[in-house]
Amino acid sequence: MPNSINIALIITSCLLFVIMLWAAMVSFHEKEKRAFSRFLLLSIVLPIPYLFLALFKIDFQLPTAIILLILTYGSLILLLIPFGRKKQQPVSIPSHQIDERDTMFSRNELIPGTETFDNYYNRKPAYKEVDDHFRAKAGLLKPGSSQYKPIPFASADASFETIGALRKQVNGSVNKNITKTNPDEIGQYIKNWSKKLGALDCGIAELKPYHLYSVGGRKERRDKPVVNQHSYAIAFTVEMDKEMVSAAPSASIVMESAQQYLESGIIALQVASFIRKLGYQARAHIDGNYEVVCPLVARDAGLGEIGRMGLLMTPKLGPRVRISVVTTDLPLIIDKPLHSHSFTDFCTICKKCADACPSQAISFDPMQNIDGIKRWQINQEKCFTLWCTLGTDCGRCISVCPYSHPDNLLHNIVRVGIRNSSLFRKFALHLDDFFYGRKPAPADFPEWAATNSINL
Ligand code: SF4
Ligand code: SF4
């Protein structure tokens, strides 16, 4: 056999060994036991045929070696060729505004026996029976729920209470002395500063009526029409910790959700206050006090696309983020939506969240026409009833989503492939299933947060 073929076989085997070993080490660091053992095994198994052909004489050695090399590098090139990248996802516009009173958190605030309760179900009798189901459960962060642990639940409650104390600060007085700003420069400044404050990403959209709830549904805003005359919306995403999310639906998920609502909320409060000091109107939209539908704003601000589970799918971390928003009349330059077809195309074939959802709230079907737009819609009643059983915000869908892997070289190579090639998307899904499992089991509760405390 020619020397060049022998060298190509040996180089390929070394490359495969090094790549698989590196992937195994990354997986070990990520505490992904299954991926670690599989990458490690592959680092031994994959190089064998190449080494065997290079070192031992067999019949048809040369044609076998050439076919093996062509198959290896040919399939690699095929997967990396941009294919279907230019196809754009149209920005779908909802035909009407959402009434916040119909969201589960708003319905959860209704107290039986009150006039508000009766008024709501007189208007929406179809929700009464289904809502009685979640009311019959222990409830969020309540003793008696299946994931109840006093220390983590108290931690989450403390984070929610801190956000609660900040809710009244979403607005404030505006400086009468206006600082003249350049829209491009100030927008860039806000993006840079918010990242310094801990945001993963920041984008700017023109505020549209469909971004706003029609009527408020939480606390003192209940039953009041939402009036917001601002022209722009600035969306911020913050990362949810992978380890805390991976143990979902244990109490770590509610700790992390609460903490990231707080972190994203603080960023929004600071930026809104900053804008008001420059002499412009600005309102922060934080947990429990949103006038806007955050995922829609963030999508239009170019931070991601809406996926099968109805959440914002960001390019770097998929749905493993929380969002806050600032609306303002500060003149700004808006960002373009991603228009990336790759997310919805991947969601169409993936369905991993639907498979993993313990309450079967996520659809396996193709996108449907709902309220004038093509999208997926989860069954929010089924989802919320499970939350009230667990006492936590389940989060299995976020945990298993292939986009939720950490933002590092190993996963970013796969993300580039998913973005560029529809062929690669199918391959990536099989890879994800192979290395992480089709229905990955919840990870262990984070060791640092484990306690033996019980309620007396
Ligand atoms: S798990 Fe799959 S189908 Fe579900 S949102 Fe993530 S990529 Fe889409
Ligand atoms: S949070 Fe849990 S119950 Fe709700 S949609 Fe996701 S996986 Fe299903």
Side-chain angles (χ1 to χ4, degrees):
M1 198 159 65
N3 221 7
S4 56
I5 300 289
N6 249 347
I7 291 171
L9 286 169
I10 290 171
I11 288 177
T12 308
S13 69
C14 290
L15 274 176
L16 286 170
F17 173 71
V18 170
I19 291 169
M20 290 300 130
L21 198 62
W22 165 68
M25 283 160 63
V26 173
S27 305
F28 182 76
H29 181 69
E30 291 174 0
K31 300 185 180 159
E32 295 284 1
K33 288 181 201 154
R34 175 181 164 126
F36 166 69
S37 56
R38 293 195 170 202
F39 277 122
L40 199 63
L41 187 68
L42 286 176
S43 73
I44 297 160
V45 172
L46 279 184
I48 289 175
Y50 302 88
L51 280 180
F52 184 83
L53 277 170
L55 301 178
F56 298 100
K57 281 204 180 328
I58 58 163
D59 291 344
F60 308 110
Q61 188 174 20
L62 182 61
T64 312
I66 291 173
I67 288 170
L68 187 63
L69 287 170
I70 289 176
L71 277 178
T72 307
Y73 291 100
S75 43
L76 198 66
I77 290 166
L78 201 65
L79 288 172
L80 292 180
I81 290 173
F83 195 67
R85 185 178 56 172
K86 295 228 166 75
K87 197 167 171 191
Q88 286 207 335
Q89 177 70 18
V91 175
S92 43
I93 312 286
S95 57
H96 64 265
Q97 292 172 288
I98 297 172
D99 185 335
E100 195 189 15
R101 294 171 297 182
D102 293 336
T103 64
M104 296 314 295
F105 287 113
S106 174
R107 283 148 67 180
N108 190 39
E109 280 181 13
L110 293 168
I111 301 166
T114 62
E115 201 184 326
T116 321
F117 183 96
D118 293 339
N119 284 347
Y120 181 76
Y121 290 110
N122 283 340
R123 237 176 8 91
K124 299 274 177 163
Y127 289 154
K128 178 71 175 53
E129 196 184 330
V130 73
D131 286 6
D132 284 345
H133 280 121
F134 79 71
R135 281 201 188 88
K137 308 293 178 192
L140 289 175
L141 295 179
K142 293 287 190 297
S145 55
S146 66
Q147 295 297 325
Y148 179 71
K149 281 194 170 97
I151 302 282
F153 272 38
S155 311
D157 216 3
S159 303
F160 281 125
E161 200 172 285
T162 312
I163 309 165
L166 296 171
R167 271 181 203 136
K168 289 207 164 59
Q169 296 177 28
V170 294
N171 238 323
S173 58
V174 177
N175 190 348
K176 290 196 176 63
N177 301 318
I178 295 176
T179 304
K180 212 167 164 353
T181 56
N182 171 312
D184 199 11
E185 195 181 68
I186 197 69
Q188 198 50 54
Y189 177 84
I190 289 171
K191 286 177 186 175
N192 293 341
W193 186 41
S194 65
K195 285 177 194 169
K196 274 259 174 250
L197 296 176
L200 171 76
D201 213 347
C202 169
I204 301 166
E206 190 183 346
L207 184 66
K208 299 276 179 57
Y210 67 83
H211 290 145
L212 296 164
Y213 287 117
S214 55
V215 181
R218 305 289 300 273
K219 311 267 181 318
E220 58 284 347
R221 292 185 304 101
R222 174 175 288 279
D223 294 331
K224 293 185 186 145
V226 173
V227 181
N228 184 316
Q229 309 285 358
H230 296 156
S231 307
Y232 301 99
I234 310 167
F236 310 95
T237 49
V238 295
E239 176 174 2
M240 294 177 77
D241 181 79
K242 179 82 173 79
E243 188 185 20
M244 299 291 270
V245 171
S246 295
S250 76
S252 65
I253 184 73
V254 74
M255 281 175 74
E256 187 59 15
S257 297
Q259 187 56 33
Q260 296 317 323
Y261 278 129
L262 178 58
E263 306 280 351
S264 60
I266 289 173
I267 294 170
L269 287 168
Q270 277 180 273
V271 171
S273 166
F274 159 74
I275 294 174
R276 291 194 297 271
K277 285 181 193 305
L278 297 181
Y280 302 87
Q281 300 278 345
R283 186 208 196 270
H285 301 263
I286 68 172
D287 178 59
N289 197 353
Y290 301 108
E291 285 181 343
V292 295
V293 184
C294 288
L296 279 181
V297 175
R299 179 201 67 170
D300 292 356
L303 300 187
E305 295 284 352
I306 311 288
R308 182 179 286 276
M309 63 178 88
L311 299 178
L312 181 79
M313 305 281 290
T314 63
K316 284 184 188 160
L317 297 174
R320 195 163 53 83
V321 296
R322 287 286 175 230
I323 311 167
S324 65
V325 168
V326 168
T327 53
T328 179
D329 62 4
L330 170 75
L332 293 164
I333 304 293
I334 60 169
D335 291 301
K336 284 198 183 92
L338 292 185
H339 287 301
S340 175
H341 167 71
S342 63
F343 290 95
T344 45
D345 190 40
F346 191 70
C347 278
T348 302
I349 54 169
C350 169
K351 303 177 186 173
K352 210 161 175 165
C353 52
D355 257 331
C357 175
S359 71
Q360 287 94 44
I362 303 176
S363 162
F364 285 90
D365 297 333
M367 282 193 273
Q368 308 285 323
N369 239 319
I370 302 165
D371 299 333
I373 60 170
K374 252 187 122 189
R375 63 176 170 121
W376 288 284
Q377 187 174 46
I378 73 156
N379 184 322
Q380 58 167 348
E381 287 83 7
K382 279 187 178 176
C383 173
F384 194 74
T385 304
L386 181 75
W387 291 19
C388 291
T389 311
L390 299 167
T392 73
D393 52 339
C394 162
R396 287 304 300 149
C397 45
I398 302 177
S399 168
V400 304
C401 179
Y403 279 101
S404 288
H405 291 301
D407 177 17
N408 60 29
L409 183 62
L410 175 65
H411 300 296
N412 286 341
I413 292 171
V414 180
R415 287 187 182 105
V416 169
I418 287 177
R419 197 160 56 239
N420 280 346
S421 161
S422 51
L423 198 62
F424 189 88
R425 272 167 227 149
K426 294 186 180 74
F427 182 62
L429 178 60
H430 291 302
L431 280 184
D432 201 87
D433 287 352
F434 176 75
F435 287 112
Y436 302 96
R438 180 72 201 160
K439 278 172 84 166
D444 295 337
F445 191 76
E447 217 174 302
W448 70 265
T451 64
N452 291 320
S453 307
I454 48 160
N455 273 141
L456 296 175

